[in-house]
Amino acid sequence: MSVLTYSGIEGFFARFAALRPHLPGDVAARDRAAAILRVQGLPSIRDEAWKYTNLRPVAQASFQSAATADPSALLARLPQLNAPRLVMVDGHYLATLSTLPPQVKCLPFAAAPKFGTLANPACEPMVALNTMLAEDGFSLTIPANIDAGLIVIAHLTTAARSTHPRHAITLEEGARASLLEIYLGEGAYLHNPVTEIHIGEGANLTHARLQDEAEEGFHLGTIYARIAAHSIYDSFSLNIGARLSRTELHASLAGAHATAHLNAAQILTGVQHADFTTIVSHDAPHGASRQTVKNALAGRSRGVFQGKIHVARGAQKTDGYQMNQALLLSPDAEIDSKPQLEIYADDVKCSHGATIGELDADQLFYLRSRGVPESQARGMLVRAFLSDAIDMVANGASRAVLETAVELWWQRHPA
Amino acid sequence: MLHIENLAAEIDGKLILNGISLTVPRGEVHAIMGPNGSGKSTLAYVLSGRDGYTVTGGTATFNGQDLLAMEPEARAAAGLFLAFQYPVELPGVGNANFLRTARNAQHRLRGEPELDAVQFLKLARAELKKLSMSDDMLRRNVNVGFSGGEKKRNEVLQMAILRPEFALLDETDSGLDIDALKIVAEGVNALRGPNFSALVITHYQRLLDYIAPDCVHVLAGGRIIRSGGPELALELEANGYVGMVADAA
Amino acid sequence: MPPLNDINSETLGTVEALTQSGYKYGFTTDIEMDLAPLGLNEDIVRLISARKNEPQWMLDWRLKAFALWQTMTEPNWAQIGYPPIDYQGIHYYAAPVKKAGPKSLDEVDPELLRTYEKLGIPLRERAILAGVEGADQPSQIAVDAVFDSVSVATTFRETLSKSGVIFCPISEAVRDHPDLVKQYLGSVVPQGDNYFAALNCAVFTDGSFVYIPKGVRCPMELSTYFRINARNTGQFERTLIIAEAGAYVSYLEGCTAPQRDENQLHAAVVELVVMDDAQIKYSTVQNWYPGDADGKGGIYNFVTKRGACRGARSKISWTQVETGSAITWKYPSCVLEGDDSVGEFYSVAVTNNRQQADTGTKMIHVGRNTKSTIVSKGISAGYSNNTYRGLVRITQRAKGARNHTQCDSLLIGEHCGAHTVPYIESRNPTAKVEHEATTSKIAEDQLFYCRQRGLSQEDAVGLIVNGFCKDVLKELPMEFAVEAQKLLAVSLEGSVG
């Protein structure tokens, strides 16, 4: 098969036309998504939800229908953990590279194509694009009352492709798991995954994510989590890679006494742009949500945080809290922050706080007066700033991987 | 060791130090006393290189090096230690990590081998024991949640671990009870010797009961108006600053 | 203590009884009106300009705005919902029939005088603001009274002119002070700024013009009182206040409208210009008719208010108490251009029944060491929705800028909504921005405590709500603060949960 190059929204439609006969699953759903995308187009900064993230660089980029290249260099970059792993290469599930615990079920999307019930292409253009072009993905199920322990999920992209994988993670009643998702790649690609997470009653999912995509890459990930009664979704995203990225996390506290933690840290430099957007919906009473989001921005980078806490009518005794803090490490960095409360129940406790500033001059001087050189002192203070958020990662092995990633980042880009 | 000549400095265009001259020879401990607003803290900050102060005249040399041209960390590496009046809190920065980083930065600048975590811990524990402090100090974040007294003890611990040649104590006694005061004084006295000097900045004579100075200077209006032996501190304690400042004016 | 459910049903009954009678300014004035034909086109713009005897440049300015407006669309980002507004179903000019400009109060229609008396607005000089209890020594206030499309009286003009202060209807300023108007009109809110501002630029009818010369502290509070009366009209007032270097003025604004079943449009523009070391304190008590308990009728209040701190160390302080209107869409803003300039925004917004408010501010930091403070208190009751929407923007030049924002929402009852939408953008590392927001309800133990001490449920709520709003109310001039407190109580009567 010859390599085709495509670009812009028309390129995506052309790609769809070419792939359509071979795509797995419900073609009607894909046609509907295509129709939505025809009307809406790719998001623009005139859309309130995309006010701070301009997708023009994505629209202007060219992608190729290239075959998968050798992923071994990327595999070598994965942390050496004594844990089962699931490997995706260019959006395809590779069973040969994956080692999963016996109780855990995993099916490739290509073999059992289901689009799921949480993602709504009509509301999210990037989800529509994914729905139109999804070729593969994984569907992971942790059966009831099983503790699957730590599972590493590696997403490796080897070429300048646009990939739109469709994933599902299901924890049945009382199940437990700790996932560490790592995104790595080479080249100027677009990675546009959609992940649906169902957490059954009394289940507990710890979800750590390390987005370390290629310097020229684009990452636009959308995650939906439905959290049933008395269950916990504890997520942390560390975004350090990609030229432009957006992580959009929708969490619905669907059952009473559900808990959601959506924490994140973004460390950026150069001309990087990273957008962390969350929509927390308290749809049942006695829910608790906590968010700590940190941005440390060097160079000419731009960090975006948008976080909405929505409390539905009747979701009484909701306890929602959100804190976002940004450090501007250079005169050319920019932070845009939009924390948002939308509340339709009266007996609730919801609050958010935001602070923006630079490194504290007194702290810096204190360190320097003790002989710590300035760049090292800045590094210490930035890591201390981030530690509030990273310390919340419950799984020790995952936390160590994230801490190492921050450490390496700082060694590569002392700001 | 420390030689200051005609030093003048300002903050936001306001002259605070107005021609200070002072020499602290190796092995001696000097005290600077003065009323509020006389420029005591400014002197400490100018000598240690804090931003926001503009030196408008004069010199300060430390072991022959031009102190004013050096970065704060270089001054620390050269052996100058400032005990802060208000030690800064560093949330998220562990005390052990902080102290090891500081100590190793000095080792590096002096071309000595760095301490690994085990070596450092051994050294730190020994110092803690000498100061009758708990190991817990190392696990906590730097000064976070410390009481006033604990913060000052932490300054003393740092001084013990960083082994400075010259300590600048900026009103270390403010807000301390008598027990804490003794600990600070013992920390300084433990370092006293032919190769250690200190400049103790204080408003009250009290601290000087525990750290006996070789020489006392009185600072007012940004300049030294009198110098003398330890008896000068007692004279101030008895008569207050007002008369002395008026005499000098 | 009775279970809360009982309180709910008991007090919800009182809500119904009270909301029907709560609005005490709902009467109409029966007076002969000069009405422009229904609808909007270039001829209407020309007609308004002609009625005002405007010079050609003013008409040209309006026509340019009208052309712009026709290319624009209504903004839809606010959290409000309403049926489409029929811009052709409105009279854009409505004025009491009168002889050409009354020379003295005696020539004003007695029916109008009676109206203002009923509203408690002093049109006779040296009269005091009537109906205000608790103000022992009411200070003198100069009033510009705007009735539908025209200013019917402006008091204390002579006294003010002695100190060089100009206080007159803007239609008069266009004729008498054309250089000032030309220089500043549209310099803060340009014609194409937004849909409603463009509409206002095309069809504004009256409003106040204030000019405080260099170094003058305005000797008395200035105020404008806006009244919508005629059916099927809109009010499009325009206010322009200029404070030259070192000047100071405190300006108050109030408004009411009759109780009508239809919705009426109010689209105002207010521009403030402040030079070196000057200060404008602008206070509003907005009490347009809010509609009935079922959301029928009420004013659509789409207002653009913005001040430019042009000079170094200049200051603008906005204080607003928003209790009225079916819909409030309003963001009094500060563009902090001068170094060390200061912007403040203090707001209480109360919504009850079916009211919708989407209000807040914009603080644009351009100059160095600029400071802004935002304190917003939103109270939602009944079936209402109340949104704080605010922008803090630190531009790359704004070294050392500071902002502190505190937004608190209080929900009363389980059918209302309270929303907070801040936008925080910083491009300067030396700037410090802090934002805090909370949402809560009146705590049961607070209510119980008050009632145990002998307060009625109503009084307890009033007390707690006033406490909640204290940080804002204390910014109001005293006469207004008293009125505002009473207004809060009236707006919330019976809404206890």
Side-chain angles (χ1 to χ4, degrees):
Chain A
M1 210 168 98
S2 66
V3 173
L4 295 171
T5 300
Y6 54 97
S7 173
I9 183 115
E10 289 310 321
F12 290 127
F13 286 124
R15 180 90 182 124
F16 177 50
L19 284 176
R20 193 173 175 278
H22 318 290
L23 288 170
D26 184 1
V27 157
R30 295 179 186 274
D31 286 343
R32 280 196 299 278
I36 289 164
L37 209 56
R38 265 275 170 235
V39 175
Q40 296 186 356
L42 289 175
S44 95
I45 52 170
R46 280 187 300 277
D47 300 316
E48 181 68 23
W50 291 82
K51 188 179 165 68
Y52 293 122
T53 294
N54 193 336
L55 288 186
R56 196 181 301 143
V58 177
Q60 286 171 348
S62 301
F63 304 106
Q64 293 172 346
S65 65
T68 293
D70 179 8
S72 50
L74 291 169
L75 279 168
R77 283 173 53 197
L78 290 172
Q80 298 305 305
L81 292 176
N82 187 19
R85 74 178 189 192
L86 191 166
V87 178
M88 305 291 302
V89 176
D90 292 330
H92 293 284
Y93 172 51
L94 286 198
T96 47
L97 293 174
S98 303
T99 51
L100 285 169
Q103 332 81 300
V104 171
K105 286 174 247 171
C106 188
L107 279 172
F109 176 87
K114 280 199 203 94
F115 283 110
T117 53
L118 303 178
N120 186 351
C123 300
E124 307 291 337
M126 297 317 297
V127 172
L129 181 64
N130 174 287
T131 304
M132 186 171 91
L133 291 171
E135 294 174 63
D136 203 354
F138 67 80
S139 172
L140 195 68
T141 303
I142 320 290
N145 302 316
I146 295 290
D147 185 347
L150 177 64
I151 301 172
V152 177
I153 303 174
H155 301 267
L156 313 176
T157 307
T158 66
R161 316 160 43 104
S162 85
T163 45
H164 310 268
R166 192 76 172 213
H167 310 303
I169 297 166
T170 306
L171 270 72
E172 294 180 351
E173 267 183 41
R176 298 174 74 88
S178 194
L179 304 181
L180 171 60
E181 288 198 274
I182 300 174
Y183 303 84
L184 298 173
E186 273 164 8
Y189 55 84
L190 165 64
H191 190 187
N192 177 38
V194 171
T195 309
E196 283 203 4
I197 302 175
H198 290 265
I199 303 171
E201 277 193 29
N204 184 332
L205 176 62
T206 304
H207 190 193
R209 303 173 62 255
L210 170 59
Q211 185 274 95
D212 191 10
E213 303 271 22
E215 222 170 297
E216 288 303 304
F218 302 110
H219 178 99
L220 301 167
T222 312
I223 298 166
Y224 294 86
R226 187 184 183 281
I227 309 159
H230 297 280
S231 63
I232 296 171
Y233 177 54
D234 177 15
S235 105
F236 181 88
S237 299
L238 177 64
N239 298 325
I240 56 176
R243 172 180 162 199
L244 183 155
S245 76
R246 166 142 156 155
T247 306
E248 185 173 318
L249 225 165
H250 299 248
S252 162
L253 287 79
H257 296 278
T259 301
H261 300 160
L262 309 182
N263 302 318
Q266 307 198 117
I267 320 170
L268 309 174
T269 189
V271 294
Q272 281 184 293
H273 176 115
D275 173 342
F276 186 69
T277 291
T278 63
I279 298 97
V280 177
S281 303
H282 283 269
D283 295 323
H286 294 281
S289 65
R290 291 280 176 280
Q291 284 178 268
T292 301
V293 177
K294 305 257 182 173
N295 272 285
L297 307 172
R300 306 180 58 81
S301 68
R302 185 170 176 195
V304 177
F305 169 66
Q306 303 187 102
K308 184 198 266 194
I309 299 177
H310 178 278
V311 179
R313 201 152 318 285
Q316 298 292 19
K317 304 284 179 196
T318 284
D319 181 356
Y321 176 74
Q322 188 187 72
M323 178 46 122
N324 77 89
Q325 293 177 308
L327 263 186
L328 296 181
L329 299 170
S330 111
D332 298 311
E334 175 173 353
I335 176 76
D336 298 301
S337 175
K338 186 186 167 197
Q340 195 176 344
L341 299 171
E342 191 173 335
I343 293 167
Y344 296 97
D346 62 336
D347 193 6
V348 301
K349 218 169 70 190
C350 284
S351 60
H352 65 220
T355 61
I356 299 172
E358 59 182 340
L359 286 175
D360 185 284
D362 288 338
Q363 295 183 342
L364 207 54
F365 174 67
Y366 190 73
L367 284 164
R368 294 177 73 192
S369 78
R370 295 293 176 260
V372 182
E374 186 173 2
S375 75
Q376 205 180 346
R378 289 170 71 87
M380 277 175 98
L381 291 175
V382 170
R383 273 170 287 162
F385 167 78
L386 298 171
S387 68
D388 279 10
I390 296 178
D391 285 351
M392 293 180 187
V393 176
N395 184 280
S398 299
R399 191 171 60 244
V401 167
L402 299 177
E403 279 167 352
T404 306
V406 171
E407 200 66 46
L408 290 173
W409 189 93
W410 196 263
Q411 283 171 22
R412 285 204 311 267
H413 317 276
Chain B
M1 163 156 254
L2 176 67
H3 183 68
I4 303 169
E5 197 145 328
N6 224 1
L7 186 64
E10 55 180 46
I11 311 172
D12 297 332
K14 203 177 144 204
L15 195 66
I16 308 288
L17 299 184
N18 191 13
I20 289 190
S21 297
L22 176 72
T23 299
V24 182
R26 186 174 293 273
E28 288 191 12
V29 172
H30 287 208
I32 285 198
M33 300 184 69
N36 289 330
S38 56
K40 297 193 300 287
S41 287
T42 299
L43 178 63
Y45 286 138
V46 167
L47 292 178
S48 53
R50 187 181 170 129
D51 276 351
Y53 298 84
T54 314
V55 175
T56 52
T59 57
T61 56
F62 185 64
N63 289 334
Q65 286 177 280
D66 177 3
L67 200 59
L68 302 177
M70 296 159 79
E71 292 294 314
E73 55 267 39
R75 300 183 200 200
L80 183 75
F81 180 93
L82 170 65
F84 283 64
Q85 185 178 0
Y86 304 107
V88 178
E89 298 188 3
L90 301 175
V93 177
N95 222 2
N97 176 29
F98 164 68
L99 282 166
R100 186 158 77 93
T101 308
R103 168 98 181 210
N104 278 337
Q106 300 200 11
H107 279 230
R108 234 178 6 251
L109 281 157
R110 294 170 189 164
E112 298 165 13
E114 294 185 22
L115 299 178
D116 65 26
V118 179
Q119 290 170 317
F120 172 78
L121 216 58
K122 216 170 135 188
L123 178 144
R125 288 213 173 109
E127 293 298 339
L128 279 163
K129 204 169 168 193
K130 275 193 232 163
L131 293 164
S132 349
M133 291 183 204
S134 138
D135 284 8
D136 195 41
M137 202 72 148
L138 294 175
R139 279 189 289 275
R140 295 166 70 176
N141 284 344
V142 181
N143 295 330
V144 177
F146 283 31
S147 69
E150 283 178 315
K151 283 182 183 170
K152 297 290 165 74
R153 285 170 195 231
N154 200 19
E155 295 289 287
V156 170
L157 173 65
Q158 291 176 31
M159 196 160 66
I161 287 174
L162 298 176
R163 303 169 307 174
E165 285 181 41
F166 193 104
L168 256 171
L169 277 70
D170 182 13
E171 302 207 35
T172 303
D173 52 333
S174 67
L176 285 197
D177 60 28
I178 210 77
D179 291 338
L181 202 63
K182 279 184 184 163
I183 286 176
V184 169
E186 279 165 23
V188 175
N189 290 334
L191 290 170
R192 275 185 101 149
N195 288 319
F196 174 81
S197 319
L199 190 57
V200 180
I201 296 174
T202 181
H203 186 91
Y204 302 106
Q205 193 267 341
R206 194 172 68 144
L207 180 62
L208 305 182
D209 288 344
Y210 301 95
I211 306 174
D214 299 302
C215 186
V216 175
H217 310 273
V218 180
L219 187 66
R223 58 174 66 192
I224 288 173
I225 56 169
R226 268 185 70 181
S227 296
E231 71 285 352
L232 189 54
L234 298 169
E235 185 189 332
L236 272 176
E237 185 78 356
N239 304 329
Y241 286 105
V242 182
M244 197 177 288
V245 172
D247 286 351
Chain C
M1 190 179 174
L4 225 66
N5 292 346
D6 291 356
I7 296 173
N8 270 330
S9 53
E10 169 197 318
T11 48
L12 285 177
T14 347
V15 181
E16 259 170 63
L18 277 164
T19 42
Q20 306 302 333
S21 62
Y23 193 74
K24 52 178 187 170
Y25 308 101
F27 63 90
T28 52
T29 305
D30 200 5
I31 191 166
E32 195 187 340
M33 296 296 283
D34 172 16
L35 280 178
L38 277 178
L40 182 55
N41 51 48
E42 250 191 52
D43 288 342
I44 294 289
V45 176
R46 289 176 192 281
L47 179 144
I48 292 169
S49 188
R51 283 283 200 281
K52 301 270 172 200
N53 297 318
E54 283 178 358
Q56 184 65 35
W57 62 265
M58 192 70 250
L59 174 62
D60 294 343
W61 195 85
R62 287 177 181 276
L63 290 172
K64 186 184 157 202
F66 182 67
L68 274 170
W69 180 72
Q70 285 177 302
T71 66
M72 297 169 85
T73 48
E74 244 177 85
N76 59 6
W77 39 258
Q79 191 145 339
I80 51 177
Y82 53 95
I85 296 171
D86 177 10
Y87 291 92
Q88 299 305 331
I90 300 173
H91 296 288
Y92 286 84
Y93 184 81
V97 173
K98 57 167 187 186
K99 296 161 262 172
K103 291 285 177 288
S104 78
L105 218 53
D106 300 332
E107 293 174 35
V108 175
D109 189 314
E111 190 59 32
L112 275 177
L113 290 179
R114 268 194 294 281
T115 300
Y116 283 92
E117 214 165 284
K118 248 167 126 175
L119 293 169
I121 307 304
L123 291 189
R124 301 225 172 251
E125 295 189 6
R126 277 173 300 280
I128 58 164
L129 192 58
V132 173
E133 295 151 36
D136 293 339
Q137 293 257 298
S139 52
Q140 285 188 331
I141 297 179
V143 177
D144 182 20
V146 178
F147 191 84
D148 288 328
S149 304
V150 293
S151 168
V152 294
T154 310
T155 65
F156 288 104
R157 290 172 62 170
E158 299 241 322
T159 317
L160 289 167
S161 71
K162 275 179 202 144
S163 46
V165 172
I166 304 171
F167 179 44
C168 67
I170 198 155
S171 50
E172 218 176 286
V174 169
R175 297 192 300 269
D176 299 347
H177 309 283
D179 292 344
L180 284 174
V181 175
K182 263 191 220 170
Q183 188 181 348
Y184 292 110
L185 189 75
S187 75
V188 186
V189 180
Q191 288 142 302
D193 188 78
N194 69 70
Y195 187 79
F196 296 106
L199 176 65
N200 175 285
C201 290
V203 303
F204 76 90
T205 45
D206 229 329
S208 303
F209 175 82
V210 178
Y211 178 82
I212 316 287
K214 202 169 165 184
V216 171
R217 192 180 167 91
C218 189
M220 61 179 78
E221 310 252 7
L222 306 184
S223 83
T224 304
Y225 194 87
F226 296 98
R227 175 77 179 168
I228 296 179
N229 184 62
R231 191 178 290 277
N232 292 324
T233 56
Q235 192 177 54
F236 305 92
E237 96 258 4
R238 183 109 197 170
T239 296
L240 176 58
I241 304 179
I242 301 140
E244 292 284 10
Y248 171 87
V249 63
S250 168
Y251 178 91
L252 323 169
E253 173 194 65
C255 42
T256 58
Q259 201 158 334
R260 295 192 191 281
D261 285 351
E262 86 226 13
N263 296 111
Q264 286 180 284
L265 179 62
H266 172 255
V269 172
V270 174
E271 294 177 282
L272 312 182
V273 179
V274 194
M275 301 308 184
D276 286 358
D277 301 294
Q279 185 183 346
I280 297 178
K281 183 172 171 60
Y282 194 109
S283 313
T284 303
V285 173
Q286 186 267 104
N287 188 23
W288 293 119
Y289 176 58
D292 71 7
D294 299 319
K296 200 160 192 195
I299 301 293
Y300 289 171
N301 190 30
F302 291 91
V303 173
T304 305
K305 289 184 168 175
R306 195 176 304 152
C309 282
R310 298 249 161 94
R313 298 166 303 280
S314 57
K315 179 176 176 183
I316 289 175
S317 182
W318 297 101
T319 305
Q320 61 173 26
V321 175
E322 303 282 315
T323 60
S325 298
I327 291 173
T328 299
W329 179 101
K330 173 180 176 192
Y331 316 91
S333 304
C334 298
V335 185
L336 303 169
E337 296 164 15
D339 290 349
D340 300 291
S341 59
V342 175
E344 295 175 341
F345 175 75
Y346 299 97
S347 170
V348 168
V350 183
T351 54
N352 198 353
N353 299 316
R354 303 279 174 177
Q355 278 179 282
Q356 305 176 67
D358 192 297
T359 184
T361 184
K362 287 194 253 185
M363 293 290 175
I364 313 291
H365 290 256
V366 181
R368 289 164 172 245
N369 299 315
T370 45
K371 285 190 181 59
S372 63
T373 303
I374 300 172
V375 178
S376 162
K377 306 281 175 177
I379 299 147
S380 330
Y383 289 81
S384 70
N385 275 295
N386 197 327
T387 301
Y388 165 81
R389 187 181 303 275
L391 168 69
V392 174
R393 177 178 289 154
I394 312 286
T395 63
Q396 207 164 9
R397 256 196 61 200
K399 200 165 174 247
R402 295 281 178 274
N403 162 266
H404 183 83
T405 301
Q406 177 73 48
C407 288
D408 299 310
S409 305
L410 194 66
L411 292 112
I412 302 178
E414 52 188 328
H415 302 292
C416 54
H419 319 303
T420 312
V421 193
Y423 302 77
I424 308 162
E425 306 171 0
S426 179
R427 302 197 60 178
N428 189 306
T430 64
K432 270 205 174 68
V433 182
E434 293 173 327
H435 171 99
E436 285 176 76
T438 65
T439 301
S440 55
K441 67 170 194 166
I442 295 180
E444 289 161 34
D445 54 353
Q446 290 174 321
L447 270 183
F448 175 69
Y449 187 83
C450 295
R451 299 180 77 196
Q452 204 284 322
R453 296 288 182 269
L455 272 77
S456 71
Q457 182 93 344
E458 304 289 344
D459 289 346
V461 170
L463 195 75
I464 293 164
V465 167
N466 270 312
F468 176 73
C469 300
K470 203 175 124 205
D471 289 347
V472 174
L473 296 177
K474 72 174 168 48
E475 296 296 324
L476 284 173
M478 191 175 55
E479 293 85 346
F480 257 35
V482 175
E483 192 184 324
Q485 277 192 20
K486 287 197 295 186
L487 208 50
L488 285 184
V490 170
S491 304
L492 288 170
E493 252 166 9
S495 58
V496 189

